Amino acid sequence: MGGTPGVETVMLLIREPQIAAFAELAVADFEDRMVTHLRQVFPEACGSAPEPALRERIQRAITRAGRFGVVREYDVCLYLQVMVVKGDGFDEAPEHAALRAILEDERQSASVRVDHVHALVFSAGETRAGEA
């Protein structure tokens, strides 16, 4: 066959439960990193929050961001930062309709949309990091 002489090729079969376990580990790792990130970047808003509460908030961000096609870790982190500043339900709040419109505008990729929202929220002193 065209393989390396003396090296046996082994086919690796990953079953559905194993894939789910890998996914859970990846999410747990992301949550760990985001708990640390939130405490460092938003100490006033998140510094003294219990870890389970921060993890729940991160999980909500993952779910809510996913509704807009935002699934890459970096993009979910941006979405989470906006959520900390504007509130957990910012994407449904009437006062943030413009932000929701950007998130829903599928003419751009999800990454571009969430980056745009993040830039608007954190630009020109519109808000201070940690403000909820």
Side-chain angles (χ1 to χ4, degrees):
M1 292 228 162
T4 305
V7 176
E8 183 178 334
T9 302
V10 178
M11 185 170 188
L12 178 64
L13 178 62
I14 300 177
R15 292 181 172 36
E16 205 53 47
Q18 292 166 308
I19 292 170
F22 289 140
E24 286 178 29
L25 288 173
V27 170
D29 178 62
F30 178 71
E31 288 176 11
D32 291 343
R33 288 181 282 125
M34 289 302 96
V35 165
T36 300
H37 176 74
L38 290 177
R39 290 193 193 285
Q40 290 174 347
V41 176
F42 303 101
E44 292 174 13
C46 301
S48 62
E51 185 171 322
L54 287 178
R55 286 184 179 277
E56 286 176 20
R57 192 171 208 185
I58 294 161
Q59 291 164 3
R60 280 194 307 275
I62 292 168
T63 300
R64 293 182 82 88
R67 295 183 316 170
F68 302 105
V70 175
V71 294
R72 291 181 44 224
E73 281 192 7
Y74 177 78
D75 298 336
V76 173
C77 179
L78 294 181
Y79 185 93
L80 176 61
Q81 290 177 359
V82 171
M83 211 170 95
V84 168
V85 171
K86 293 296 184 183
D88 285 15
F90 82 90
D91 55 7
E92 293 180 350
E95 63 270 23
H96 301 303
L99 298 179
R100 181 181 180 94
I102 293 167
L103 289 169
E104 290 177 334
D105 183 358
E106 294 185 359
R107 294 176 294 176
Q108 299 288 330
S109 72
S111 292
V112 168
R113 289 179 279 154
V114 75
D115 188 58
H116 185 189
V117 166
H118 186 271
L120 287 172
V121 170
F122 286 89
S123 70
E126 177 185 325
T127 187
R128 294 182 316 264
E131 182 178 297

PDB file of all heavy atoms in Angstrom, residues 15-39:
ATOM      1  N   ARG A  15     -16.569   7.242  18.831  1.00  0.00           N
ATOM      2  CA  ARG A  15     -18.014   7.071  18.928  1.00  0.00           C
ATOM      3  C   ARG A  15     -18.682   8.338  19.450  1.00  0.00           C
ATOM      4  O   ARG A  15     -18.033   9.205  20.012  1.00  0.00           O
ATOM      5  CB  ARG A  15     -18.331   5.887  19.828  1.00  0.00           C
ATOM      6  CG  ARG A  15     -17.930   4.552  19.226  1.00  0.00           C
ATOM      7  CD  ARG A  15     -18.282   3.407  20.151  1.00  0.00           C
ATOM      8  NE  ARG A  15     -18.135   2.064  19.698  1.00  0.00           N
ATOM      9  CZ  ARG A  15     -17.229   1.528  18.919  1.00  0.00           C
ATOM     10  NH1 ARG A  15     -16.324   2.267  18.390  1.00  0.00           N
ATOM     11  NH2 ARG A  15     -17.196   0.249  18.637  1.00  0.00           N
ATOM     12  N   GLU A  16     -19.973   8.423  19.248  1.00  0.00           N
ATOM     13  CA  GLU A  16     -20.770   9.598  19.637  1.00  0.00           C
ATOM     14  C   GLU A  16     -20.558   9.978  21.107  1.00  0.00           C
ATOM     15  O   GLU A  16     -20.372  11.157  21.411  1.00  0.00           O
ATOM     16  CB  GLU A  16     -22.237   9.289  19.340  1.00  0.00           C
ATOM     17  CG  GLU A  16     -23.132  10.467  19.095  1.00  0.00           C
ATOM     18  CD  GLU A  16     -22.664  11.452  18.036  1.00  0.00           C
ATOM     19  OE1 GLU A  16     -22.268  11.051  16.938  1.00  0.00           O
ATOM     20  OE2 GLU A  16     -22.708  12.651  18.333  1.00  0.00           O
ATOM     21  N   PRO A  17     -20.605   9.037  22.073  1.00  0.00           N
ATOM     22  CA  PRO A  17     -20.381   9.431  23.476  1.00  0.00           C
ATOM     23  C   PRO A  17     -18.990  10.039  23.706  1.00  0.00           C
ATOM     24  O   PRO A  17     -18.838  10.938  24.531  1.00  0.00           O
ATOM     25  CB  PRO A  17     -20.528   8.117  24.256  1.00  0.00           C
ATOM     26  CG  PRO A  17     -21.349   7.236  23.383  1.00  0.00           C
ATOM     27  CD  PRO A  17     -21.000   7.627  21.968  1.00  0.00           C
ATOM     28  N   GLN A  18     -17.995   9.564  22.969  1.00  0.00           N
ATOM     29  CA  GLN A  18     -16.658  10.120  23.101  1.00  0.00           C
ATOM     30  C   GLN A  18     -16.614  11.547  22.561  1.00  0.00           C
ATOM     31  O   GLN A  18     -15.979  12.421  23.145  1.00  0.00           O
ATOM     32  CB  GLN A  18     -15.633   9.244  22.369  1.00  0.00           C
ATOM     33  CG  GLN A  18     -15.449   7.882  23.018  1.00  0.00           C
ATOM     34  CD  GLN A  18     -14.701   6.935  22.112  1.00  0.00           C
ATOM     35  OE1 GLN A  18     -15.074   6.761  20.957  1.00  0.00           O
ATOM     36  NE2 GLN A  18     -13.644   6.332  22.637  1.00  0.00           N
ATOM     37  N   ILE A  19     -17.289  11.770  21.457  1.00  0.00           N
ATOM     38  CA  ILE A  19     -17.356  13.118  20.885  1.00  0.00           C
ATOM     39  C   ILE A  19     -18.030  14.060  21.870  1.00  0.00           C
ATOM     40  O   ILE A  19     -17.563  15.185  22.102  1.00  0.00           O
ATOM     41  CB  ILE A  19     -18.088  13.101  19.523  1.00  0.00           C
ATOM     42  CG1 ILE A  19     -17.239  12.347  18.490  1.00  0.00           C
ATOM     43  CG2 ILE A  19     -18.399  14.517  19.046  1.00  0.00           C
ATOM     44  CD1 ILE A  19     -17.948  12.058  17.190  1.00  0.00           C
ATOM     45  N   ALA A  20     -19.107  13.592  22.482  1.00  0.00           N
ATOM     46  CA  ALA A  20     -19.818  14.413  23.470  1.00  0.00           C
ATOM     47  C   ALA A  20     -18.919  14.714  24.662  1.00  0.00           C
ATOM     48  O   ALA A  20     -18.909  15.843  25.179  1.00  0.00           O
ATOM     49  CB  ALA A  20     -21.091  13.709  23.926  1.00  0.00           C
ATOM     50  N   ALA A  21     -18.133  13.727  25.085  1.00  0.00           N
ATOM     51  CA  ALA A  21     -17.219  13.938  26.211  1.00  0.00           C
ATOM     52  C   ALA A  21     -16.151  14.965  25.859  1.00  0.00           C
ATOM     53  O   ALA A  21     -15.821  15.837  26.668  1.00  0.00           O
ATOM     54  CB  ALA A  21     -16.572  12.617  26.628  1.00  0.00           C
ATOM     55  N   PHE A  22     -15.604  14.889  24.632  1.00  0.00           N
ATOM     56  CA  PHE A  22     -14.621  15.873  24.191  1.00  0.00           C
ATOM     57  C   PHE A  22     -15.243  17.268  24.160  1.00  0.00           C
ATOM     58  O   PHE A  22     -14.617  18.250  24.562  1.00  0.00           O
ATOM     59  CB  PHE A  22     -14.070  15.534  22.808  1.00  0.00           C
ATOM     60  CG  PHE A  22     -13.151  14.344  22.777  1.00  0.00           C
ATOM     61  CD1 PHE A  22     -13.222  13.441  21.735  1.00  0.00           C
ATOM     62  CD2 PHE A  22     -12.208  14.129  23.768  1.00  0.00           C
ATOM     63  CE1 PHE A  22     -12.369  12.339  21.689  1.00  0.00           C
ATOM     64  CE2 PHE A  22     -11.345  13.037  23.736  1.00  0.00           C
ATOM     65  CZ  PHE A  22     -11.435  12.139  22.692  1.00  0.00           C
ATOM     66  N   ALA A  23     -16.463  17.372  23.682  1.00  0.00           N
ATOM     67  CA  ALA A  23     -17.152  18.661  23.613  1.00  0.00           C
ATOM     68  C   ALA A  23     -17.362  19.233  25.009  1.00  0.00           C
ATOM     69  O   ALA A  23     -17.161  20.431  25.240  1.00  0.00           O
ATOM     70  CB  ALA A  23     -18.478  18.520  22.880  1.00  0.00           C
ATOM     71  N   GLU A  24     -17.766  18.382  25.951  1.00  0.00           N
ATOM     72  CA  GLU A  24     -17.960  18.839  27.333  1.00  0.00           C
ATOM     73  C   GLU A  24     -16.658  19.356  27.926  1.00  0.00           C
ATOM     74  O   GLU A  24     -16.650  20.369  28.629  1.00  0.00           O
ATOM     75  CB  GLU A  24     -18.523  17.707  28.191  1.00  0.00           C
ATOM     76  CG  GLU A  24     -19.984  17.412  27.935  1.00  0.00           C
ATOM     77  CD  GLU A  24     -20.498  16.254  28.771  1.00  0.00           C
ATOM     78  OE1 GLU A  24     -19.965  16.034  29.882  1.00  0.00           O
ATOM     79  OE2 GLU A  24     -21.429  15.580  28.312  1.00  0.00           O
ATOM     80  N   LEU A  25     -15.566  18.654  27.654  1.00  0.00           N
ATOM     81  CA  LEU A  25     -14.259  19.103  28.153  1.00  0.00           C
ATOM     82  C   LEU A  25     -13.876  20.446  27.544  1.00  0.00           C
ATOM     83  O   LEU A  25     -13.343  21.320  28.227  1.00  0.00           O
ATOM     84  CB  LEU A  25     -13.180  18.062  27.839  1.00  0.00           C
ATOM     85  CG  LEU A  25     -13.221  16.782  28.657  1.00  0.00           C
ATOM     86  CD1 LEU A  25     -12.211  15.775  28.118  1.00  0.00           C
ATOM     87  CD2 LEU A  25     -12.955  17.070  30.130  1.00  0.00           C
ATOM     88  N   ALA A  26     -14.156  20.622  26.271  1.00  0.00           N
ATOM     89  CA  ALA A  26     -13.838  21.885  25.608  1.00  0.00           C
ATOM     90  C   ALA A  26     -14.652  23.027  26.201  1.00  0.00           C
ATOM     91  O   ALA A  26     -14.130  24.127  26.426  1.00  0.00           O
ATOM     92  CB  ALA A  26     -14.081  21.773  24.108  1.00  0.00           C
ATOM     93  N   VAL A  27     -15.925  22.789  26.463  1.00  0.00           N
ATOM     94  CA  VAL A  27     -16.779  23.824  27.052  1.00  0.00           C
ATOM     95  C   VAL A  27     -16.311  24.145  28.466  1.00  0.00           C
ATOM     96  O   VAL A  27     -16.216  25.316  28.848  1.00  0.00           O
ATOM     97  CB  VAL A  27     -18.272  23.401  27.035  1.00  0.00           C
ATOM     98  CG1 VAL A  27     -19.116  24.350  27.856  1.00  0.00           C
ATOM     99  CG2 VAL A  27     -18.775  23.336  25.604  1.00  0.00           C
ATOM    100  N   ALA A  28     -15.987  23.127  29.241  1.00  0.00           N
ATOM    101  CA  ALA A  28     -15.511  23.348  30.613  1.00  0.00           C
ATOM    102  C   ALA A  28     -14.212  24.149  30.607  1.00  0.00           C
ATOM    103  O   ALA A  28     -14.028  25.061  31.422  1.00  0.00           O
ATOM    104  CB  ALA A  28     -15.320  22.018  31.332  1.00  0.00           C
ATOM    105  N   ASP A  29     -13.320  23.837  29.671  1.00  0.00           N
ATOM    106  CA  ASP A  29     -12.070  24.578  29.547  1.00  0.00           C
ATOM    107  C   ASP A  29     -12.348  26.036  29.180  1.00  0.00           C
ATOM    108  O   ASP A  29     -11.748  26.958  29.738  1.00  0.00           O
ATOM    109  CB  ASP A  29     -11.167  23.924  28.500  1.00  0.00           C
ATOM    110  CG  ASP A  29      -9.877  24.691  28.305  1.00  0.00           C
ATOM    111  OD1 ASP A  29      -9.099  24.817  29.270  1.00  0.00           O
ATOM    112  OD2 ASP A  29      -9.644  25.181  27.177  1.00  0.00           O
ATOM    113  N   PHE A  30     -13.259  26.266  28.243  1.00  0.00           N
ATOM    114  CA  PHE A  30     -13.640  27.628  27.851  1.00  0.00           C
ATOM    115  C   PHE A  30     -14.215  28.373  29.057  1.00  0.00           C
ATOM    116  O   PHE A  30     -13.855  29.523  29.314  1.00  0.00           O
ATOM    117  CB  PHE A  30     -14.648  27.585  26.705  1.00  0.00           C
ATOM    118  CG  PHE A  30     -15.131  28.935  26.273  1.00  0.00           C
ATOM    119  CD1 PHE A  30     -14.290  29.813  25.600  1.00  0.00           C
ATOM    120  CD2 PHE A  30     -16.433  29.330  26.532  1.00  0.00           C
ATOM    121  CE1 PHE A  30     -14.735  31.060  25.191  1.00  0.00           C
ATOM    122  CE2 PHE A  30     -16.890  30.575  26.129  1.00  0.00           C
ATOM    123  CZ  PHE A  30     -16.042  31.444  25.459  1.00  0.00           C
ATOM    124  N   GLU A  31     -15.096  27.719  29.811  1.00  0.00           N
ATOM    125  CA  GLU A  31     -15.674  28.350  30.998  1.00  0.00           C
ATOM    126  C   GLU A  31     -14.582  28.729  31.993  1.00  0.00           C
ATOM    127  O   GLU A  31     -14.615  29.831  32.551  1.00  0.00           O
ATOM    128  CB  GLU A  31     -16.674  27.411  31.672  1.00  0.00           C
ATOM    129  CG  GLU A  31     -17.966  27.238  30.924  1.00  0.00           C
ATOM    130  CD  GLU A  31     -18.882  26.221  31.584  1.00  0.00           C
ATOM    131  OE1 GLU A  31     -18.610  25.786  32.734  1.00  0.00           O
ATOM    132  OE2 GLU A  31     -19.878  25.850  30.942  1.00  0.00           O
ATOM    133  N   ASP A  32     -13.625  27.818  32.225  1.00  0.00           N
ATOM    134  CA  ASP A  32     -12.525  28.116  33.150  1.00  0.00           C
ATOM    135  C   ASP A  32     -11.792  29.379  32.728  1.00  0.00           C
ATOM    136  O   ASP A  32     -11.534  30.273  33.542  1.00  0.00           O
ATOM    137  CB  ASP A  32     -11.508  26.963  33.182  1.00  0.00           C
ATOM    138  CG  ASP A  32     -12.028  25.699  33.830  1.00  0.00           C
ATOM    139  OD1 ASP A  32     -13.052  25.757  34.545  1.00  0.00           O
ATOM    140  OD2 ASP A  32     -11.398  24.629  33.617  1.00  0.00           O
ATOM    141  N   ARG A  33     -11.470  29.462  31.435  1.00  0.00           N
ATOM    142  CA  ARG A  33     -10.740  30.625  30.933  1.00  0.00           C
ATOM    143  C   ARG A  33     -11.580  31.888  31.022  1.00  0.00           C
ATOM    144  O   ARG A  33     -11.076  32.973  31.329  1.00  0.00           O
ATOM    145  CB  ARG A  33     -10.262  30.374  29.509  1.00  0.00           C
ATOM    146  CG  ARG A  33      -9.115  29.359  29.469  1.00  0.00           C
ATOM    147  CD  ARG A  33      -8.587  29.095  28.067  1.00  0.00           C
ATOM    148  NE  ARG A  33      -9.497  28.187  27.370  1.00  0.00           N
ATOM    149  CZ  ARG A  33     -10.068  28.435  26.209  1.00  0.00           C
ATOM    150  NH1 ARG A  33      -9.838  29.568  25.568  1.00  0.00           N
ATOM    151  NH2 ARG A  33     -10.874  27.561  25.652  1.00  0.00           N
ATOM    152  N   MET A  34     -12.884  31.772  30.773  1.00  0.00           N
ATOM    153  CA  MET A  34     -13.747  32.953  30.812  1.00  0.00           C
ATOM    154  C   MET A  34     -13.997  33.427  32.239  1.00  0.00           C
ATOM    155  O   MET A  34     -14.113  34.639  32.471  1.00  0.00           O
ATOM    156  CB  MET A  34     -15.077  32.671  30.101  1.00  0.00           C
ATOM    157  CG  MET A  34     -14.960  32.562  28.588  1.00  0.00           C
ATOM    158  SD  MET A  34     -14.279  34.040  27.778  1.00  0.00           S
ATOM    159  CE  MET A  34     -12.552  33.585  27.618  1.00  0.00           C
ATOM    160  N   VAL A  35     -14.065  32.520  33.208  1.00  0.00           N
ATOM    161  CA  VAL A  35     -14.197  32.928  34.613  1.00  0.00           C
ATOM    162  C   VAL A  35     -12.997  33.806  34.984  1.00  0.00           C
ATOM    163  O   VAL A  35     -13.158  34.900  35.535  1.00  0.00           O
ATOM    164  CB  VAL A  35     -14.311  31.708  35.551  1.00  0.00           C
ATOM    165  CG1 VAL A  35     -14.088  32.113  37.005  1.00  0.00           C
ATOM    166  CG2 VAL A  35     -15.672  31.035  35.398  1.00  0.00           C
ATOM    167  N   THR A  36     -11.812  33.347  34.660  1.00  0.00           N
ATOM    168  CA  THR A  36     -10.593  34.120  34.936  1.00  0.00           C
ATOM    169  C   THR A  36     -10.621  35.445  34.183  1.00  0.00           C
ATOM    170  O   THR A  36     -10.331  36.510  34.757  1.00  0.00           O
ATOM    171  CB  THR A  36      -9.346  33.307  34.533  1.00  0.00           C
ATOM    172  OG1 THR A  36      -9.336  32.094  35.285  1.00  0.00           O
ATOM    173  CG2 THR A  36      -8.070  34.085  34.782  1.00  0.00           C
ATOM    174  N   HIS A  37     -10.994  35.403  32.912  1.00  0.00           N
ATOM    175  CA  HIS A  37     -11.048  36.610  32.077  1.00  0.00           C
ATOM    176  C   HIS A  37     -12.024  37.637  32.654  1.00  0.00           C
ATOM    177  O   HIS A  37     -11.690  38.828  32.777  1.00  0.00           O
ATOM    178  CB  HIS A  37     -11.461  36.210  30.662  1.00  0.00           C
ATOM    179  CG  HIS A  37     -11.644  37.358  29.734  1.00  0.00           C
ATOM    180  ND1 HIS A  37     -10.589  38.078  29.214  1.00  0.00           N
ATOM    181  CD2 HIS A  37     -12.776  37.927  29.230  1.00  0.00           C
ATOM    182  CE1 HIS A  37     -11.054  39.032  28.439  1.00  0.00           C
ATOM    183  NE2 HIS A  37     -12.377  38.972  28.419  1.00  0.00           N
ATOM    184  N   LEU A  38     -13.214  37.199  33.015  1.00  0.00           N
ATOM    185  CA  LEU A  38     -14.214  38.131  33.544  1.00  0.00           C
ATOM    186  C   LEU A  38     -13.738  38.777  34.837  1.00  0.00           C
ATOM    187  O   LEU A  38     -13.927  39.971  35.047  1.00  0.00           O
ATOM    188  CB  LEU A  38     -15.544  37.414  33.771  1.00  0.00           C
ATOM    189  CG  LEU A  38     -16.299  36.986  32.524  1.00  0.00           C
ATOM    190  CD1 LEU A  38     -17.564  36.227  32.907  1.00  0.00           C
ATOM    191  CD2 LEU A  38     -16.633  38.167  31.633  1.00  0.00           C
ATOM    192  N   ARG A  39     -13.136  37.985  35.703  1.00  0.00           N
ATOM    193  CA  ARG A  39     -12.641  38.542  36.973  1.00  0.00           C
ATOM    194  C   ARG A  39     -11.533  39.573  36.738  1.00  0.00           C
ATOM    195  O   ARG A  39     -11.430  40.558  37.465  1.00  0.00           O
ATOM    196  CB  ARG A  39     -12.149  37.427  37.880  1.00  0.00           C
ATOM    197  CG  ARG A  39     -13.261  36.547  38.417  1.00  0.00           C
ATOM    198  CD  ARG A  39     -12.753  35.668  39.549  1.00  0.00           C
ATOM    199  NE  ARG A  39     -13.653  34.616  39.915  1.00  0.00           N
ATOM    200  CZ  ARG A  39     -14.778  34.751  40.611  1.00  0.00           C
ATOM    201  NH1 ARG A  39     -15.149  35.952  40.988  1.00  0.00           N
ATOM    202  NH2 ARG A  39     -15.521  33.714  40.915  1.00  0.00           N
TER     203      ARG A  39
END
